[in-house]
């Protein structure tokens, strides 16, 4: 969690708020792939991509 805290402080300090939506989307896609890869929902997730 320190990485996310440091990343948020970097974005806030440098005023690069446009990076936040891209990082959130990448994290959501990563979580979707990790948790959906070993479940019965996997075929539906793969059809999205």
């Amino acid at each position: 969690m320190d990485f996310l805290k440091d990343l948020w402080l970097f974005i806030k300090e440098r005023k690069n708020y446009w990076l936040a939506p891209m990082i959130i989307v990448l994290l959501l896609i990563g979580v979707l792939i990790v948790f959906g890869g070993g479940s019965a929902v996997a075929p539906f997730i793969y059809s999205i991509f």
Side-chain angles (χ1 to χ4, degrees):
M1 296 304 286
D2 287 335
F3 174 72
L4 294 176
K5 180 181 170 187
D6 289 340
L7 186 62
W8 174 248
L9 290 175
F10 172 78
I11 290 172
K12 195 168 131 181
E13 182 177 325
R14 304 263 186 208
K15 307 226 185 297
N16 288 337
Y17 294 112
W18 57 271
L19 285 173
M22 290 192 314
I23 292 170
I24 291 170
V25 167
L26 287 173
L27 286 173
L28 288 176
I29 290 173
V31 167
L32 183 67
I33 290 172
V34 167
F35 288 123
S39 69
V41 186
F44 301 109
I45 293 173
Y46 293 132
S47 66
I48 293 173
F49 299 108

